[in-house]
Each structure stands twice: as C-alpha cells, then as structure tokens.
Amino acid sequence: MTAIILAAGYATRMYPLTLNFPKPLLEVGEKKIIDHLLDDLVQSGVERTVVVSNHKFIDQFTSWADTRENVIVLDDGSVDNDHRLGAVKDIEFAIEEANIDDDIVVLAGDNVLNFSLSSFIKYGKEKKTTCIMRHEQRDINKLRKTGVIVIDDNDLVLEMDEKPQEPKSIWAVPPFYYYTKEDIKLVKEGIESGCGTDAPGSFISWLVKKKSVHAFSMPGERYDVGSIEGYEKIKKEYKGITIR
C-alpha cells in the first residue's frame, strides 16, 4: 500500500511562523508533525509514502526525507498560495509521477492525531471500496467550513457537499481518504468532468455519484494546526497516539 501526504499548502493563516517554513515540519511533542503521521503509517503497513510539496518548500522537504526510508518527495511546481494546484490535482500529480497502481491512503500533512490510522486502513481493506472518515459536528458554522456527508444505516455515503451553507447532516469529513486501486484511475476523469480541485473532498463529492464509498467513524481526535495560538496549545496538550 502507498500513502500520499498532501504538503503543498502555504499556511498563510500562521504567518510569520510559516512564511519560510512548511507547517508539516513544525514540531509537536518533540517530533515533526509529518513524522507522527509517517511513523503511524509505517506501523499500519504502508510500504511507501509520496509527499507532495510546493516549489517554495521542496528543499526543506527533501532534506527531511533524507532521514526517512521509502519516502518520495515531489515538487508540484507552485510558488505561492495564489497559484497552488489544489489538493485533487496534487493527488492526480502524485499518482502519475510515482506510477501508483495500488490502493492508497491520502491525508493532509498538517494534522495531529491522537489515534492510529491502522483501524481506518483495515476498514478500507474489509469494505473493498473507497472510504472516508466522519465525525459528529453540531456547530453549523464549522460544518459550513468542511465536507458534510449523508449516510445510510450501513455507512454508505449517499451524498457529500464541500462547505455547504445549509448542511444536510451533522457528519463532518476530515482530510483522510482510502482509495481503491480501481477508483484512483477515476481522478483524472473527475477533474476533467469539473469536480472541484481545491479541497480533497471535492473528488469524493463527484465519486459518490458513480461508485460506492463508505464512511468510517473517526476513533479519536484530530487537532487542527490552523493558527499560531492553536499550535502552541496543541504542543502543550498533545499526549501521543493511542492505537484504536
């Protein structure tokens, strides 16, 4: 299995801390954020990881990757926030550049978790479909800033909307995805058909109209490193990953 870590963002909300330094390489609990993710992926059976960087931070990610095994770092060519490719195009870029022909797990590289991704990967293998995560969110303002899904009693995703003004459920979607080998071949088609490309969930919104997608209940907490104040709080509170 291959993982794709999306790390081509510019974290403009955290300037000046991230003006010249990528957010995934910031430290939490004496480890870089991306190392927390990568260590867990390795423990969960992922054999190689493709990290998609932008051109501005490529040298820093390449230097970091020299300390790791089975990691490929790609430069998507973007140089600033206004000209970024967007998450879905970065996924397409990684699939093509790394010649991926396998089930994959995709995640944003700036997330801190208190649970292992192993149960999610196991869920995807058991379902044999593309899978996403879901967690309960009752704050409508937060729902308007994320992906929101409608599911049936068997966790089958019936509908997904990115940043809806009128959310149809309380099920929010964090940026963790399990794609089957068959479904990654549809990413290019989705882009050509006009699915959004900025948020990674935009492809899922398109895919659920064509294929079965299941939603796994997130077994712990995801900490959003979205501001300098939030980052400082996470550094103080983070206790590490618990296998769930």
Side-chain angles (χ1 to χ4, degrees):
M1 168 168 276
T2 298
I4 297 175
I5 296 181
L6 302 173
Y10 291 86
T12 56
R13 289 185 297 157
M14 291 183 67
Y15 282 7
L17 181 62
T18 54
L19 179 60
N20 294 300
F21 195 82
K23 184 166 37 166
L25 296 184
L26 294 173
E27 291 191 353
V28 170
E30 299 182 355
K31 246 187 192 182
K32 299 182 189 303
I33 293 172
I34 198 169
D35 279 322
H36 285 288
L37 296 171
L38 186 55
D39 288 346
D40 182 51
L41 289 169
V42 172
Q43 289 294 319
S44 300
V46 171
E47 293 146 332
R48 69 166 177 163
T49 298
V50 179
V51 177
V52 184
S53 170
N54 55 51
H55 186 67
K56 180 177 180 180
F57 295 134
I58 187 63
D59 290 341
Q60 294 178 66
F61 277 109
T62 300
S63 295
W64 162 79
D66 287 341
T67 69
R68 304 293 316 211
E69 294 182 354
N70 301 318
V71 173
I72 300 169
V73 177
L74 300 176
D75 178 357
D76 76 356
S78 71
V79 294
D80 59 47
N81 194 58
D82 292 334
H83 298 90
R84 64 188 185 277
L85 268 65
V88 179
K89 287 189 176 180
D90 275 338
I91 293 169
E92 177 192 30
F93 173 66
I95 291 169
E96 293 180 350
E97 289 296 309
N99 297 313
I100 299 173
D101 186 25
D102 194 2
D103 290 358
I104 61 174
V105 58
V106 178
L107 54 154
D110 58 354
N111 285 268
V112 179
L113 312 176
N114 72 353
F115 63 92
S116 172
L117 292 163
S118 58
S119 56
F120 177 53
I121 292 172
K122 180 181 178 182
Y123 179 87
K125 290 180 177 179
E126 291 174 348
K127 287 294 186 182
K128 297 181 180 179
T129 67
T130 288
C131 297
I132 60 179
M133 280 197 198
R134 62 180 170 90
H135 66 91
E136 186 176 308
Q137 177 56 259
R138 295 187 178 275
D139 186 328
I140 191 169
N141 291 319
K142 291 183 177 179
L143 286 170
R144 286 171 175 164
K145 297 177 181 179
T146 188
V148 178
I149 56 171
V150 177
I151 58 175
D152 69 9
D153 293 338
N154 296 309
D155 293 336
L156 183 70
V157 181
L158 305 177
E159 185 177 346
M160 177 169 173
D161 295 315
E162 275 290 343
K163 301 180 180 180
Q165 284 302 300
E166 299 298 330
K168 296 180 180 179
S169 81
I170 59 169
W171 296 119
V173 180
F176 311 113
Y177 309 88
Y178 180 103
Y179 292 111
T180 64
K181 175 181 176 179
E182 292 74 22
D183 287 353
I184 65 173
K185 299 173 183 176
L186 298 175
V187 174
K188 181 180 288 292
E189 180 183 340
I191 293 171
E192 292 175 348
S193 297
C195 82
T197 57
D198 191 43
S202 297
F203 173 66
I204 296 294
S205 298
W206 177 87
L207 185 65
V208 297
K209 300 173 184 177
K210 296 180 173 291
K211 302 289 292 290
S212 293
V213 175
H214 287 89
F216 173 76
S217 181
M218 192 168 73
E221 297 294 327
R222 166 203 171 209
Y223 301 97
D224 181 16
V225 187
S227 66
I228 293 177
E229 294 77 16
Y231 171 55
E232 293 299 328
K233 181 179 179 181
I234 292 166
K235 286 198 295 181
K236 293 177 182 178
E237 296 180 356
Y238 184 68
K239 303 299 182 183
I241 288 176
T242 300
I243 303 299
R244 298 178 184 176

